[in-house]
Amino acid sequence: FDPVKHGDNLHYFSQQDLRLDNGPKRLFRQVEELKPGLVILDSLIRFHTEDEGSNSAMARLFNNGIKPLSRRYDCTTLILHHVVKNEESKSFRRTRGASDITAAIDLGLDMYIPDAGNYRRVKVFKPRHPVDVTTLYVRVEDKGDATMIRRVEQEQRQTPF
């Protein structure tokens, strides 16, 4: 995803009944028309009606809906997906639903919000390809008309919001 090339091409769809398991052509047509560099599915459960606990259903969803979306239209697909509440488990095991969800992704990021502090930890838990950074810390800032996510250095992690 190139934010310079695609920065002004931002479209948000909410409650549009866009499904990747049951007639993905509608979403594909939107992407083909708009040509975004980044498609965000927030959250995964809102874009399908399959059983998230079924490996075969999730494999079908990724193979027939999500992967073709990225490959046909040369766009990055970012999927937000919730995890189970057990904070003690490794990120790979905390992914809610079938293990094929984690198996199908190219890069898995786990965002953790500590009990105290003004930052979030973002940790790579599944890189299909080598990555330069495995953990980074960010702060979410509300700017009125926009929400910014900024990297936070170690010395800034205790500064109040």
Side-chain angles (χ1 to χ4, degrees), residues 38-42 66 70 75-80 107 109:
L38 174 65
V39 173
I40 301 173
L41 303 178
D42 182 7
I66 296 169
S70 294
C75 61
T76 299
T77 304
L78 174 66
I79 302 167
L80 304 181
L107 179 67
L109 302 172

Side-chain angles (χ1 to χ4, degrees), residues 24-74:
K25 290 180 183 177
R26 183 169 171 226
L27 180 59
F28 288 6
R29 278 194 306 268
Q30 297 271 345
V31 171
E32 184 173 20
E33 179 184 318
L34 299 170
K35 298 183 181 10
L38 174 65
V39 173
I40 301 173
L41 303 178
D42 182 7
S43 67
L44 178 62
I45 191 73
R46 304 282 180 248
F47 290 88
H48 71 89
T49 57
E50 296 283 356
D51 173 9
E52 283 193 352
S54 166
N55 278 318
S56 60
M58 291 299 96
R60 197 169 41 250
L61 177 68
F62 275 85
N63 291 335
N64 298 334
I66 296 169
K67 288 182 180 181
L69 178 67
S70 294
R71 292 183 180 139
R72 281 185 203 161
Y73 305 106
D74 193 28

Side-chain angles (χ1 to χ4, degrees), residues 6 12 15 21 25 28 36-37 44 46 49 53 61 63 65 73-74 90 95 106 112 115 120 123 131 135 150:
H6 300 285
Y12 177 75
Q15 307 297 321
D21 60 331
K25 290 180 183 177
F28 288 6
L44 178 62
R46 304 282 180 248
T49 57
L61 177 68
N63 291 335
Y73 305 106
D74 193 28
K90 293 192 178 293
T95 303
D106 289 332
Y112 173 74
D115 291 336
R120 279 102 168 114
K123 183 176 180 184
V131 295
T135 302
R150 299 193 187 275

Side-chain angles (χ1 to χ4, degrees), residues 105-108 124-131 134:
I105 61 176
D106 289 332
L107 179 67
V124 174
F125 70 88
K126 186 205 175 184
R128 188 174 305 274
H129 308 287
V131 295
T134 59

